[in-house]
Structure formats: C-alpha cells, structure tokens
Amino acid sequence: MASISMTVNGREVSGDAEDRTLLVEFLRNNLGLTGTHVGCDTSQCGACVVHVDGEAVKSCTMLAAQAAGSAVTTIEGLAAGGELHPVQKAFHENHGLQCGFCTPGMIMAATDMIRRHGASLDEKTVREELEGNICRCTGYHNIVKSILAAANEMGGAQQAAE
Amino acid sequence: MIPGSFDYHRPRTLNEAVGLLADHAGDAFILAGGHSLIPMMKLRMATPEHLIDIQDIGELTGINVAGGTIEIGAAVTQAALISSAALADACPILRETSLQIADPQIRNVGTIGGNVANGDPGNDMPAVMQALDAEYLLHGGGGERTVKARDFYEAAYFTARDESEILTSIRIPVPAQGHGYSYQKQKRKIGDYATAAAAVILSVSNGNCTAASIALTNVADTPLWAQAASDALVGTDLGAAAVTAAVDAARAITDPASDGRGPSEYRTHVAGIMVKRAIEAAHERAA
C-alpha cells in the first residue's frame, strides 16, 4: 500500500492503493468517479480515456502510480458552472450516443482531438483519430457529426476571442 | 484484470535506475509507457516483482539530429516521433511507421524504446531499425555498450539486452539525401499487429538503384533483415524482374506461425506483397 496523490479535475486528491492499482480503478474505486468506464480492459475500446497532463490516455493500461503527481481530467471535470462542455452539448444535440457506455471515452478523445486540430478538423481526420474508440450502437456517423459540430463551435469561439 | 503484486519504483536518474536493476537482478522490469508490459502483467505472461518507472529520467527523452546521426531517447513516445519536424525531414519512415502503431491514445504513452526493446516480433519499429541499420545503446552496471538492431533480436521476447541493462537511446545513421522509403503493413483491423509488414529504404541515381535495405515484421520469431532481397535490388532499374527477385528472396527467409492472423503460407504470401508495395512506394519517393 502506498499513498498516491494527484490533481483530478483541478482538485488535489490522494488515496491509499496497492502499487498494482490501475489509474481507472483509482478513479472509480478510490475517488468514486465512475464516469470513466472499463470496457475491454485491453486498451482497445477507449471507454476509459482520460487526460493526463493534457494528453489523452487509456486509464485501464496505466498504473495510478504512473499518474502520481500529474494533473488528470475525467469526464466529470469537463462541465463548468452547471453548463455542459461544448463537446458534451454537441453529442447531446446531434444524438451522438445511444447506450452511452463509450461516450465518456469518445468525449475525452474528442476534446483532445479538437485541442490539437482546432476548427480545421475534417471528417477524415476525425474518423482516423477515432481508431482507438469503439462504439457498438450508433455506428460512428452521429459521433463524427457531433465532434465536427463541437470543433466548429469551439474553433469559431476561439477565433472570435482572438 | 489486475496485475499481480509488485513494488513500484520511480528513480530520478539513470544511475539510480541501473542500481535498482542490479539490486533486484532478474526480478525487476523497466516500465516505460507500459502499453506492452501492463497487458502482459494482467495476463500473467509477465510477473515482475519490481517495476522501475523511467518517466522522470530526463536524459531518456530527447530527439537530436546532428553530424549525420539521429539519436532518439528510449522514452520518446510515438506521438513525439510523429510530431518531430527534424525527424520528418531527416528520416520520414519513422513517422510513417509510428502512425501505423495502435491508436492516438496509445501513441501518447507508448515509447520507441519499449517498442524496440521488449522483443515482441509483432512490434513494428524493430524491422524499421534493421532497415536503417540503427544501433541501440545499453547502459548497465559495467558501463555502456552498443548493439546493432540487426544483431539484437534472438527469439520472441529474447534479445541481446542483459537483464541488468537499460536501453537508453537509439542511434540511426541519417539516410542519404533523397532516399526513398516505405513501411507497408497488412493488418486485420485498426490498431492490430501486422499479419506481415515490410520496411524499405533505397536510393536511386540515374534510374539505377544504388543502395537498398529491406526488413520484415512479424513473419518469424524475430524481425528479419532481408539481406539477399536488398542485394537483389542494387544495380537494377527497380523494374518488374528486380522486384520479383527481391520478393522471392524475402519470402524465402520468412517462417511465420499459423495463428489468428492466418496460416503460415498466407502470411508468407502477404509478406511478399508488402515487400513489393514498399519497394514501389520507395522508388516513387526516391529523388
């Protein structure tokens, strides 16, 4: 057992966990943040995607100890002041989910993608970049549509601010 | 799935890491990105008693192109390789290969050092390193030594690295100006290991091939540098006869397993197609 400390969604947290504890378990079991899902548990499906120090990673294949001292953002950390994040809003408006199981990972992958590509994100790039996120209900059409809508809104907002 | 129990260490310096390896000889594994090791630990295919996480060792993370040599730190991620302008200019096959490994989230974490050092014959970078005639720097208690990528791989998961050594960096001679390159990979689905793949580096002058190097991924227990296939191209116009000779020579050295990726004969057949496509793409790119 070791005490593991990190910043999660802007809050300093710590918890006692065995060295073998995976980041996703630490988030779900120690911190009660169950929005991050475990799907395949073999780093293929992407339901467990979170951001560590600003980069999207698969938290089922990272030890909590590896993320100690880092800043982690989960799906719970996106909405601010009771307002959905633009990517969450776009998934809602474009029917980008059915059962919702893959959605937290899809949204965390999407926010990372939009951060890197901005408003220049096109459909081909979105589809390529979604190769590590698997959805078993909608078929990716509305997910791609949601991400493009969010990229457009966020990129447009960014340009207006500049 | 949860890995078996181990003690986690996070040294700040290379010497500290080498000391930990010596203290726990045979029971300690290096943890870089962990995207091969952690899945193996979940499946109990690896059961280290100690994990030595190298993420805080700054000297393992640089990319440096100078004096005709590319040096890449072992802890450089695939994402960093992809975004390096210096590498895209000096040795673009690295970017082309990285983009065919796994998916964006895994490439944010997975490292070049882990990819070349863990000895999985499914990994893509080892064959590319053989094609480029790279060498690996290994650091142990007894000091530093280099091993050529072409001599490093002994069998699946067995390499020339002693268990007391850490791979610290990879040195690649900068390929000739105007060289052609290609990494062609056949896979069953996105993110998969290769059914068969081929790396080709070649140079062309006045329509004739002046140098060629071909290596193969996942069609034997180790990556394969295809010397006879490479030689079959040199001095030719890279026409159909030369390509066929290289494809035949490459197929002759394969010995793939029959598994979920297909029967052995099929994978040998695919390897030849990958060699052909990689030669043609490299030829087209050569200036």
mmCIF file of all heavy atoms in Angstrom, chain B residues 118-139:
data_model
loop_
_atom_site.group_PDB
_atom_site.id
_atom_site.type_symbol
_atom_site.label_atom_id
_atom_site.label_comp_id
_atom_site.label_asym_id
_atom_site.label_seq_id
_atom_site.Cartn_x
_atom_site.Cartn_y
_atom_site.Cartn_z
ATOM 1 N N ASN B 118 11.409 -4.716 -26.158
ATOM 2 C CA ASN B 118 10.735 -5.804 -25.450
ATOM 3 C C ASN B 118 10.747 -7.117 -26.230
ATOM 4 O O ASN B 118 10.430 -8.160 -25.685
ATOM 5 C CB ASN B 118 9.341 -5.370 -24.968
ATOM 6 C CG ASN B 118 8.242 -5.629 -25.966
ATOM 7 O OD1 ASN B 118 8.497 -5.802 -27.159
ATOM 8 N ND2 ASN B 118 7.021 -5.643 -25.498
ATOM 9 N N GLY B 119 11.123 -7.055 -27.497
ATOM 10 C CA GLY B 119 11.357 -8.301 -28.235
ATOM 11 C C GLY B 119 10.118 -8.967 -28.788
ATOM 12 O O GLY B 119 10.176 -10.098 -29.276
ATOM 13 N N ASP B 120 8.979 -8.261 -28.754
ATOM 14 C CA ASP B 120 7.763 -8.819 -29.352
ATOM 15 C C ASP B 120 7.923 -8.774 -30.872
ATOM 16 O O ASP B 120 8.092 -7.698 -31.442
ATOM 17 C CB ASP B 120 6.568 -7.973 -28.901
ATOM 18 C CG ASP B 120 5.242 -8.535 -29.392
ATOM 19 O OD1 ASP B 120 5.236 -9.277 -30.402
ATOM 20 O OD2 ASP B 120 4.208 -8.226 -28.772
ATOM 21 N N PRO B 121 7.858 -9.920 -31.549
ATOM 22 C CA PRO B 121 8.050 -9.912 -33.005
ATOM 23 C C PRO B 121 6.945 -9.163 -33.744
ATOM 24 O O PRO B 121 7.105 -8.823 -34.922
ATOM 25 C CB PRO B 121 8.057 -11.394 -33.392
ATOM 26 C CG PRO B 121 7.508 -12.128 -32.222
ATOM 27 C CD PRO B 121 7.672 -11.268 -30.998
ATOM 28 N N GLY B 122 5.838 -8.859 -33.059
ATOM 29 C CA GLY B 122 4.763 -8.096 -33.678
ATOM 30 C C GLY B 122 5.040 -6.597 -33.705
ATOM 31 O O GLY B 122 4.374 -5.868 -34.428
ATOM 32 N N ASN B 123 5.984 -6.131 -32.930
ATOM 33 C CA ASN B 123 6.274 -4.694 -32.907
ATOM 34 C C ASN B 123 6.826 -4.235 -34.252
ATOM 35 O O ASN B 123 7.568 -4.957 -34.913
ATOM 36 C CB ASN B 123 7.265 -4.373 -31.800
ATOM 37 C CG ASN B 123 6.631 -4.460 -30.422
ATOM 38 O OD1 ASN B 123 5.407 -4.536 -30.300
ATOM 39 N ND2 ASN B 123 7.444 -4.455 -29.389
ATOM 40 N N ASP B 124 6.491 -2.999 -34.616
ATOM 41 C CA ASP B 124 6.829 -2.519 -35.957
ATOM 42 C C ASP B 124 8.222 -1.890 -36.057
ATOM 43 O O ASP B 124 8.862 -1.983 -37.101
ATOM 44 C CB ASP B 124 5.792 -1.477 -36.391
ATOM 45 C CG ASP B 124 4.420 -2.105 -36.560
ATOM 46 O OD1 ASP B 124 4.258 -2.884 -37.517
ATOM 47 O OD2 ASP B 124 3.536 -1.850 -35.733
ATOM 48 N N MET B 125 8.670 -1.209 -34.995
ATOM 49 C CA MET B 125 9.921 -0.462 -35.101
ATOM 50 C C MET B 125 11.183 -1.332 -35.272
ATOM 51 O O MET B 125 12.143 -0.891 -35.916
ATOM 52 C CB MET B 125 10.087 0.470 -33.901
ATOM 53 C CG MET B 125 9.230 1.713 -33.982
ATOM 54 S SD MET B 125 9.760 2.753 -35.375
ATOM 55 C CE MET B 125 8.585 4.111 -35.227
ATOM 56 N N PRO B 126 11.229 -2.533 -34.695
ATOM 57 C CA PRO B 126 12.477 -3.308 -34.849
ATOM 58 C C PRO B 126 12.894 -3.525 -36.308
ATOM 59 O O PRO B 126 14.068 -3.345 -36.655
ATOM 60 C CB PRO B 126 12.157 -4.621 -34.137
ATOM 61 C CG PRO B 126 11.222 -4.209 -33.044
ATOM 62 C CD PRO B 126 10.339 -3.163 -33.693
ATOM 63 N N ALA B 127 11.956 -3.878 -37.178
ATOM 64 C CA ALA B 127 12.326 -4.093 -38.579
ATOM 65 C C ALA B 127 12.771 -2.790 -39.230
ATOM 66 O O ALA B 127 13.720 -2.758 -40.020
ATOM 67 C CB ALA B 127 11.158 -4.708 -39.358
ATOM 68 N N VAL B 128 12.097 -1.691 -38.850
ATOM 69 C CA VAL B 128 12.489 -0.389 -39.405
ATOM 70 C C VAL B 128 13.920 -0.059 -38.972
ATOM 71 O O VAL B 128 14.727 0.430 -39.767
ATOM 72 C CB VAL B 128 11.484 0.697 -38.962
ATOM 73 C CG1 VAL B 128 11.953 2.084 -39.376
ATOM 74 C CG2 VAL B 128 10.108 0.402 -39.540
ATOM 75 N N MET B 129 14.226 -0.357 -37.711
ATOM 76 C CA MET B 129 15.585 -0.100 -37.208
ATOM 77 C C MET B 129 16.612 -0.974 -37.939
ATOM 78 O O MET B 129 17.731 -0.547 -38.202
ATOM 79 C CB MET B 129 15.649 -0.361 -35.693
ATOM 80 C CG MET B 129 14.816 0.606 -34.893
ATOM 81 S SD MET B 129 15.315 2.314 -35.210
ATOM 82 C CE MET B 129 13.777 3.169 -34.895
ATOM 83 N N GLN B 130 16.236 -2.197 -38.250
ATOM 84 C CA GLN B 130 17.147 -3.058 -39.014
ATOM 85 C C GLN B 130 17.347 -2.516 -40.423
ATOM 86 O O GLN B 130 18.466 -2.520 -40.941
ATOM 87 C CB GLN B 130 16.606 -4.492 -39.060
ATOM 88 C CG GLN B 130 16.634 -5.171 -37.701
ATOM 89 C CD GLN B 130 16.307 -6.641 -37.791
ATOM 90 O OE1 GLN B 130 15.611 -7.081 -38.716
ATOM 91 N NE2 GLN B 130 16.787 -7.420 -36.826
ATOM 92 N N ALA B 131 16.264 -2.047 -41.032
ATOM 93 C CA ALA B 131 16.391 -1.490 -42.385
ATOM 94 C C ALA B 131 17.301 -0.266 -42.369
ATOM 95 O O ALA B 131 18.077 -0.040 -43.297
ATOM 96 C CB ALA B 131 15.010 -1.130 -42.942
ATOM 97 N N LEU B 132 17.221 0.525 -41.279
ATOM 98 C CA LEU B 132 18.018 1.757 -41.177
ATOM 99 C C LEU B 132 19.419 1.494 -40.625
ATOM 100 O O LEU B 132 20.215 2.421 -40.501
ATOM 101 C CB LEU B 132 17.300 2.760 -40.257
ATOM 102 C CG LEU B 132 16.011 3.372 -40.799
ATOM 103 C CD1 LEU B 132 15.222 4.040 -39.673
ATOM 104 C CD2 LEU B 132 16.320 4.382 -41.896
ATOM 105 N N ASP B 133 19.708 0.253 -40.268
ATOM 106 C CA ASP B 133 20.977 -0.112 -39.625
ATOM 107 C C ASP B 133 21.236 0.714 -38.363
ATOM 108 O O ASP B 133 22.342 1.228 -38.135
ATOM 109 C CB ASP B 133 22.160 0.019 -40.608
ATOM 110 C CG ASP B 133 23.374 -0.783 -40.106
ATOM 111 O OD1 ASP B 133 23.193 -1.631 -39.218
ATOM 112 O OD2 ASP B 133 24.488 -0.543 -40.607
ATOM 113 N N ALA B 134 20.206 0.807 -37.527
ATOM 114 C CA ALA B 134 20.326 1.528 -36.260
ATOM 115 C C ALA B 134 21.118 0.704 -35.260
ATOM 116 O O ALA B 134 21.283 -0.500 -35.414
ATOM 117 C CB ALA B 134 18.931 1.796 -35.696
ATOM 118 N N GLU B 135 21.625 1.408 -34.231
ATOM 119 C CA GLU B 135 22.212 0.679 -33.103
ATOM 120 C C GLU B 135 21.595 1.166 -31.805
ATOM 121 O O GLU B 135 21.136 2.303 -31.705
ATOM 122 C CB GLU B 135 23.739 0.782 -33.098
ATOM 123 C CG GLU B 135 24.293 2.181 -33.055
ATOM 124 C CD GLU B 135 25.822 2.202 -33.119
ATOM 125 O OE1 GLU B 135 26.433 1.249 -33.632
ATOM 126 O OE2 GLU B 135 26.401 3.182 -32.618
ATOM 127 N N TYR B 136 21.588 0.267 -30.829
ATOM 128 C CA TYR B 136 20.963 0.540 -29.541
ATOM 129 C C TYR B 136 22.044 0.738 -28.489
ATOM 130 O O TYR B 136 22.989 -0.044 -28.408
ATOM 131 C CB TYR B 136 20.070 -0.630 -29.112
ATOM 132 C CG TYR B 136 18.978 -0.995 -30.097
ATOM 133 C CD1 TYR B 136 18.481 -2.295 -30.161
ATOM 134 C CD2 TYR B 136 18.429 -0.048 -30.961
ATOM 135 C CE1 TYR B 136 17.471 -2.645 -31.042
ATOM 136 C CE2 TYR B 136 17.426 -0.386 -31.851
ATOM 137 C CZ TYR B 136 16.947 -1.692 -31.890
ATOM 138 O OH TYR B 136 15.956 -2.034 -32.777
ATOM 139 N N LEU B 137 21.880 1.778 -27.667
ATOM 140 C CA LEU B 137 22.800 1.999 -26.552
ATOM 141 C C LEU B 137 22.217 1.362 -25.296
ATOM 142 O O LEU B 137 21.089 1.674 -24.911
ATOM 143 C CB LEU B 137 22.988 3.503 -26.304
ATOM 144 C CG LEU B 137 24.179 4.120 -27.027
ATOM 145 C CD1 LEU B 137 23.868 4.241 -28.502
ATOM 146 C CD2 LEU B 137 24.515 5.476 -26.436
ATOM 147 N N LEU B 138 23.004 0.496 -24.702
ATOM 148 C CA LEU B 138 22.567 -0.203 -23.489
ATOM 149 C C LEU B 138 23.447 0.233 -22.339
ATOM 150 O O LEU B 138 24.671 0.292 -22.469
ATOM 151 C CB LEU B 138 22.683 -1.721 -23.674
ATOM 152 C CG LEU B 138 21.895 -2.297 -24.838
ATOM 153 C CD1 LEU B 138 22.292 -3.749 -25.076
ATOM 154 C CD2 LEU B 138 20.398 -2.215 -24.566
ATOM 155 N N HIS B 139 22.810 0.535 -21.218
ATOM 156 C CA HIS B 139 23.537 1.050 -20.067
ATOM 157 C C HIS B 139 23.338 0.077 -18.915
ATOM 158 O O HIS B 139 22.226 -0.227 -18.538
ATOM 159 C CB HIS B 139 22.952 2.424 -19.693
ATOM 160 C CG HIS B 139 23.903 3.286 -18.957
ATOM 161 N ND1 HIS B 139 24.607 4.301 -19.557
ATOM 162 C CD2 HIS B 139 24.278 3.288 -17.660
ATOM 163 C CE1 HIS B 139 25.374 4.899 -18.662
ATOM 164 N NE2 HIS B 139 25.192 4.301 -17.494
#
